[in-house]
Amino acid sequence: MIGRLRGTLVSRGAESVVLEVGGVGYEVLITPAGLAALPGVGEDIVLHTHLHVREDVLTLFGFVDEQQRAWFRILLGAPGVGPKVAQAVLATLEPDELLAAIAGEDVDALTLVPGIGKRSAQKMILELKPKVGAGEMMGSAEPTDATRVREALEQLGYTPAETKEILAEIDRSAPVPEQIRAALRALGAERHA
């Protein structure tokens, strides 16, 4: 298994990079956040990788830190979760948000991920909660920023579908009040368009 690559970033695409290691170019699929965290083409980088093997294809998934890769592997253990869905989960939720969603049985947080519906989210929580030790966190789980923004928008009368769509578009690294203002501006613009 290929667990880590160190080399020169040769090219970047929308969902992947090519990393040259010892004269060999490895194409590695990576989340948008991971892609944004990488330096420019020609720079040396390190990616923690997971090699996914199927009968007809070998696919490398890359992560800028080991925690992301660990979560990717945990997600692959859930029923119905393949590498593309696991990568979508990590592109949508940060590891601490994912852990809080599992610990708090927050189905709505998981349905923010493209391709995951309510039933799939419930199955994921049921399967992953014992694996990640989320049971002990139940009393101490703080709501994540994404949860706070989603709940604020829903209290203002926006539907879960509208909220899900807008949360994918706003800057989730901003403070919660700024995220709420940005979401309200975007939702207001959509309603008046």
Side-chain angles (χ1 to χ4, degrees):
M1 182 179 278
I2 300 171
R4 183 173 177 265
L5 292 172
R6 170 180 278 166
T8 304
L9 183 61
V10 176
S11 69
R12 348 168 40 119
E15 298 177 344
S16 66
V17 296
V18 175
L19 184 62
E20 185 175 318
V21 180
V24 178
Y26 292 91
E27 182 176 6
V28 183
L29 297 177
I30 190 165
T31 64
L35 196 58
L38 295 178
V41 172
E43 299 287 326
D44 284 341
I45 62 169
V46 173
L47 287 178
H48 301 276
T49 60
H50 174 84
L51 178 62
H52 188 74
V53 180
R54 285 192 345 213
E55 307 176 353
D56 56 341
V57 69
L58 301 173
T59 308
L60 267 175
F61 292 87
F63 308 93
V64 293
D65 63 46
E66 291 183 71
Q67 183 185 29
Q68 290 266 330
R69 182 182 63 187
W71 270 106
F72 181 81
R73 290 177 173 168
I74 290 168
L75 288 165
L76 289 178
V81 177
K84 293 286 188 181
V85 172
Q87 193 174 34
V89 170
L90 293 173
T92 306
L93 300 170
E94 292 295 322
D96 59 333
E97 294 173 328
L98 180 56
L99 183 58
I102 293 168
E105 297 182 13
D106 188 354
V107 172
D108 292 336
L110 290 174
T111 60
L112 292 174
V113 178
I116 294 184
K118 204 167 196 119
R119 293 185 81 183
S120 298
Q122 290 168 336
K123 285 181 186 178
M124 282 178 64
I125 289 169
L126 186 65
E127 183 70 27
L128 295 176
K129 197 169 184 177
K131 289 183 181 180
V132 298
E136 303 89 60
M137 291 185 56
M138 281 305 292
S140 64
E142 281 287 316
T144 64
D145 288 352
T147 301
R148 288 183 180 111
V149 173
R150 189 185 73 244
E151 288 173 351
L153 294 174
E154 288 174 1
Q155 287 176 357
L156 291 170
Y158 291 98
T159 66
E162 289 174 311
T163 303
K164 178 180 178 177
E165 186 178 316
I166 287 303
L167 283 177
E169 297 175 13
I170 62 173
D171 177 13
R172 294 195 17 240
S173 64
V176 172
E178 283 182 34
Q179 289 184 51
I180 294 170
R181 281 192 288 277
L184 289 172
R185 278 193 297 273
L187 285 164
E190 281 183 9
R191 285 195 172 169
H192 294 319

